[in-house]
Amino acid sequence: MADIDSFQTEKRRFKPHASFAKQANLTAAEFKKLTALAAKSPDKYWAGRAEDLRWMRKWKKVCDWSEAPFAKWYVEGQLNASDNCLDRHLETWRRNKAALIWEGEPGDTRVLTYADLHRETCRFANVLKGLGVRKGDRVTLYMPLVPELAIAMLACARIGAAHSVIFGGFTSQAIADRVEDAESAVLVTADGGWRRGSVVPLKTNVDEALTKTDKVKKVVVLKRTGQGVTMTNGRDFWWHDLMKDASAVCEPEPCDSEQMLYILYTSGTTGKPKGVVHTTGGYMTWAHTTTKWVFDLKDTDTYWCTADIGWVTGHTYVVYGPLSNGATVLMYEGAPNWPANDRFWQLVEKYGVTILYTAPTAIRAFMKWGDEWPGRHDLSSLRLLGSVGEPINPEAWMWYQKVIGGGRCPIVDTWWQTETGGILISPLPGVTATKPGSATLPLPGIFPEVLSNEGQPCKADQGGLLAIAKPWPSMLRTVYRDPERFKKQYWSNFAGKYFTGDGSRKDKDGYVWIMGRVDDVIKVAGHRLGTAEVESALVSHPKVAESAVVGKPDEMKGEAICAFVTLRGGSEKTDALKKELQEHVAKTLGSFAKPEMIRFTDALPKTRSGKIMRRLLRKIATGDGTLGDTTTLEDLSVLAKLREDEE
Ligand code: WTA
């Protein structure tokens, strides 16, 4: 993990325009004041942030860190997340303001006002109650990007149940694993969703998943695409049938600040995905605050975060952050290049989007498709651009700024993780001078450090490991049903500090430059995947004996998946088998997890203790000639063999 070299030297700098700075939600003077307050009197600072929410009972203590790393925030306070996202606005002029403007991939549209969203949420909350869901239960949501997904999340929050959203790109094995771990008795899905003109068979995937687990007792199915599905009597119910008679009256349940709001499964270093647990008070506080500050969100904005709700970005910055701020949120169901490469720009023009938040992978694809696509549309409504999910290369940053932002929009390159719940490192659009490729500075109250393997602070421009030195309200509370894994994964590298799993450096101005993951997590097109998850998918094929998966740099997707595979005796190393294995992974995990390259090998390089030497495989995958220290190799001939295969 050590010795992370950085060769990047980026000299460009962009100060916020005076006109933007003047109207910003957070000004330079306030930023300075709050940063100082957060360092000097953290409790006072964090209490101030939480006061922006509506509480049903005030907390007694801001932060209890006495059982570190298990934090409690806003101790003994009570609130309800859906009350903060909905009811609160109904008492104001926002009652009839558009909360969600939704467009399906085929072009169908819907607008839900805050009053609409509230009514539907209350009704679905009553449906969930009718199915036996109680406070503290876990409900799994596996849906396309439709308003009903937000409704189902808010309905869970309303009755104090936790949701576990599974990205619609995952398939049966991933669903079964997550349902099993969460012990979720109710699952909400749809017949299908639209993606590049075809139907994603969500219900069929669920049916297959439910042959592998018996945890789920009731399935609610939303009719979206209308293709035929099999409904199992007594288990499966149509959303519209259950909603028909559901009452629109459902008072929000007072929830303890530490009541679990959701579990979101994310990839880690073993095959079993981790259930990242977020609770109510602290998470909502930071979701609300960061949305207001980083995106400078105003009532007049049309805000569009293009992330799927199946990832954390969609949880915090499509649902909880913007809705708690009373924003108008655009949601688009489908692909950016359907029916043509200008779909995003068409949407920006059509709805007058003012704030756009997307991923570097998408930006690089737009760059490749050419300037003529955005050039066909009037993008002058845009006033702020955001990036998230992977390091953005300076070239893509410059393109985004110039071609999409017309040179007028500040860019916020926001660094955070599923585990952090909200943005921790990011420019503030009216305050921070940006440098293309840097996530710049921490938000007030966040204390990132770049450390050596031994936990010593690195010098300016020296690469090291990124840690967060103090607790913050939206930090994950634990790994669901696995507190030991939580401690080991995040808190065992550096005493008392949260280890992020990212490499990074700080420059002379204290700006943070993220250098990507240092563990076995890869980011394919911004989607987070554990190498071990792909490996277990490969090994579940009858012809595979063992496999090792690594990420290799990819110009478009950030990283591409490379799999080294040893076959069981008698299986032939054919191209047809490679294809079959790729399809097998697509089928078990999802097509975004399909390895780009498969290499057959007779054995995998391992240390004497039997650990696969991924560092070597990564170098082989990238065609790097310098293999570094190989003294721990159990069998050097294995390596020689892999190198030979290379030639
Ligand atoms: C990476 C996504 C560079 C990083 C919100 C992190 C980034 C992982 C950035 C978390 C950024 C996220 N610049 N890298 N602005 N944002 N990352 O859990 O490696 O899907 O650890 O959360 O994405 O991915 P996750």
Side-chain angles (χ1 to χ4, degrees):
M1 290 206 300
D3 298 332
I4 301 172
D5 293 323
S6 161
F7 300 104
Q8 213 178 26
T9 49
E10 173 57 58
K11 296 272 184 294
R12 287 169 291 205
R13 202 147 306 206
F14 297 88
K15 282 214 183 105
H17 289 299
S19 57
F20 194 102
K22 221 166 53 205
Q23 60 80 62
N25 286 348
L26 196 70
T27 63
E30 285 160 334
F31 176 66
K32 213 168 142 197
K33 211 173 83 194
L34 289 170
T35 302
L37 180 68
K40 209 173 119 236
S41 323
D43 280 2
K44 205 162 159 197
Y45 167 74
W46 289 118
R49 308 291 64 75
E51 274 153 18
D52 258 10
L53 295 178
R54 178 154 84 177
W55 292 79
M56 295 163 166
R57 189 173 80 194
K58 173 117 186 182
W59 58 87
K60 294 219 170 92
K61 191 173 176 177
V62 172
C63 175
D64 179 356
W65 191 230
S66 61
E67 286 168 49
F70 300 95
K72 289 197 189 87
W73 281 86
Y74 308 113
V75 183
E76 289 185 41
Q78 282 187 345
L79 75 168
N80 183 287
S82 103
D83 175 62
N84 273 281
C85 291
L86 302 171
D87 307 52
R88 222 184 150 188
H89 307 308
L90 298 194
E91 296 156 19
T92 71
W93 67 271
R94 290 193 188 110
R95 182 176 182 85
N96 292 317
K97 177 184 174 177
L100 298 180
I101 300 178
W102 174 84
E103 184 161 314
E105 195 184 72
D108 42 342
T109 62
R110 282 162 68 193
V111 178
L112 280 90
T113 65
Y114 274 94
D116 293 334
L117 194 57
H118 176 263
R119 186 185 56 247
E120 296 307 301
T121 298
C122 289
R123 293 173 70 205
F124 197 65
N126 284 324
V127 166
L128 290 176
K129 280 190 196 167
L131 292 173
V133 178
R134 298 288 172 262
K135 198 171 183 173
D137 289 352
R138 284 82 45 214
V139 177
T140 296
L141 311 176
Y142 175 66
M143 299 176 80
L145 198 60
V146 290
E148 283 79 2
L149 176 49
I151 290 166
M153 291 164 80
L154 292 165
C156 288
R158 198 161 188 89
I159 61 175
H163 51 74
S164 159
V165 182
I166 302 177
F167 171 53
F170 279 115
T171 44
S172 60
Q173 188 60 47
I175 304 169
D177 290 346
R178 286 156 175 77
V179 156
E180 188 71 21
D181 189 73
E183 298 184 303
S184 160
V186 173
L187 186 151
V188 186
T189 187
D191 49 356
W194 291 105
R195 192 77 191 172
R196 271 189 206 94
S198 345
V199 169
V200 183
L202 298 172
K203 177 62 165 64
T204 311
N205 292 343
V206 167
D207 291 339
E208 200 174 317
L210 297 193
T211 62
K212 304 174 196 194
T213 165
D214 59 2
K215 290 280 179 324
V216 174
K217 307 296 178 217
K218 309 271 186 224
V219 178
V220 183
V221 187
L222 176 80
K223 193 172 233 162
R224 162 71 189 124
T225 49
Q227 91 275 18
V229 292
T230 319
M231 298 291 278
T232 302
N233 231 340
R235 186 195 74 182
D236 301 350
F237 305 88
W238 286 108
W239 173 292
H240 55 263
D241 285 340
L242 297 175
M243 285 288 263
K244 229 174 0 217
D245 303 318
S247 151
V249 179
C250 177
E251 287 307 310
E253 178 72 25
C255 292
D256 188 90
S257 179
E258 284 302 327
Q259 169 87 29
M260 181 159 72
L261 179 62
Y262 65 82
I263 306 175
L264 185 54
Y265 286 89
T266 187
S267 303
T269 41
T270 71
K272 192 170 159 270
K274 292 182 292 224
V276 167
V277 171
H278 283 292
T279 58
T280 311
Y283 172 81
M284 287 301 292
T285 295
W286 200 230
H288 181 83
T289 304
T290 50
T291 307
K292 191 163 73 181
W293 286 354
V294 175
F295 300 112
D296 193 49
L297 195 58
K298 307 268 200 298
D299 263 317
T300 41
D301 279 310
T302 302
Y303 164 94
W304 184 21
C305 164
T306 69
D308 193 282
I309 291 180
W311 304 101
V312 75
T313 306
H315 281 58
T316 308
Y317 298 112
V318 177
V319 180
Y320 292 111
L323 295 180
S324 69
N325 277 283
T328 294
V329 176
L330 177 67
M331 272 170 85
Y332 165 61
E333 178 190 28
N337 54 351
W338 187 266
N341 291 344
D342 61 344
R343 185 63 182 272
F344 270 26
W345 316 124
Q346 200 189 7
L347 287 162
V348 168
E349 179 172 15
K350 178 171 172 187
Y351 295 104
V353 172
T354 55
I355 300 170
L356 176 70
Y357 187 33
T358 194
T361 290
I363 298 165
R364 288 189 292 264
F366 297 137
M367 255 174 101
K368 188 177 117 196
W369 296 337
D371 296 6
E372 66 269 27
W373 296 101
R376 287 180 196 178
H377 298 277
D378 177 4
L379 305 182
S380 62
S381 58
L382 289 170
R383 67 178 195 94
L384 185 143
L385 302 174
S387 168
V388 62
E390 330 145 55
I392 179 165
N393 42 312
E395 199 194 344
W397 195 103
M398 289 303 300
W399 183 88
Y400 197 31
Q401 200 245 15
K402 201 166 124 231
V403 180
I404 305 305
R408 119 196 124 253
C409 304
I411 295 190
V412 290
D413 173 2
T414 63
W415 179 89
W416 61 295
Q417 309 177 298
T418 305
E419 292 87 342
T420 70
I423 297 166
L424 298 193
I425 305 175
S426 167
L428 285 157
V431 177
T432 320
T434 49
K435 303 182 188 183
S438 170
T440 75
L441 300 166
L443 297 179
I446 306 299
F447 298 90
E449 292 179 352
V450 178
L451 303 173
S452 69
N453 276 343
E454 293 72 38
Q456 294 307 313
C458 293
K459 291 204 252 330
D461 283 326
Q462 195 188 351
L465 306 171
L466 183 65
I468 311 292
K470 294 186 185 171
W472 66 100
S474 63
M475 64 201 287
L476 81 162
R477 295 301 190 264
T478 188
V479 170
Y480 191 60
R481 294 199 310 168
D482 202 348
E484 284 311 310
R485 192 171 175 193
F486 168 68
K487 285 200 269 188
K488 183 157 176 282
Q489 182 87 40
Y490 304 106
W491 302 94
S492 64
N493 288 60
F494 310 115
K497 295 175 184 174
Y498 168 82
F499 175 48
T500 63
D502 276 1
S504 73
R505 72 180 163 99
K506 279 189 192 176
D507 68 16
K508 286 191 269 316
D509 302 324
Y511 276 44
V512 178
W513 298 76
I514 304 291
M515 293 149 78
R517 303 287 309 194
V518 295
D519 55 10
D520 295 328
V521 171
I522 42 183
K523 276 274 173 151
V524 182
H527 294 163
R528 179 165 163 176
L529 263 175
T531 51
E533 259 177 304
V534 185
E535 285 161 7
S536 46
L538 281 164
V539 176
S540 71
H541 188 282
K543 289 189 179 156
V544 174
E546 196 176 25
S547 87
V549 165
V550 295
K552 100 177 211 228
D554 182 275
E555 222 177 283
M556 292 296 293
K557 292 190 279 185
E559 281 187 288
I561 303 176
C562 253
F564 294 85
V565 171
T566 59
L567 295 175
R568 286 177 193 261
S571 303
E572 273 199 57
K573 301 171 183 159
T574 61
D575 283 345
L577 181 56
K578 280 188 189 175
K579 269 230 161 64
E580 191 179 317
L581 294 179
Q582 286 171 319
E583 287 316 314
H584 178 73
V585 175
K587 202 165 165 289
T588 39
L589 263 182
S591 58
F592 70 100
K594 186 150 91 174
E596 179 139 313
M597 184 178 110
I598 293 195
R599 291 266 304 271
F600 292 127
T601 164
D602 289 332
L604 291 167
K606 290 185 186 162
T607 62
R608 282 180 223 285
S609 62
K611 259 187 96 172
I612 292 172
M613 300 186 79
R614 288 167 192 289
R615 187 168 49 87
L616 289 178
L617 293 175
R618 222 171 279 134
K619 288 198 168 179
I620 292 168
T622 42
D624 186 334
T626 57
L627 287 177
D629 180 18
T630 56
T631 48
T632 46
L633 262 188
E634 173 207 38
D635 181 0
L636 274 169
S637 66
V638 167
L639 179 63
K641 187 78 182 66
L642 280 167
R643 304 275 296 155
E644 239 168 63
D645 289 352
E646 187 81 10
E647 263 100 51

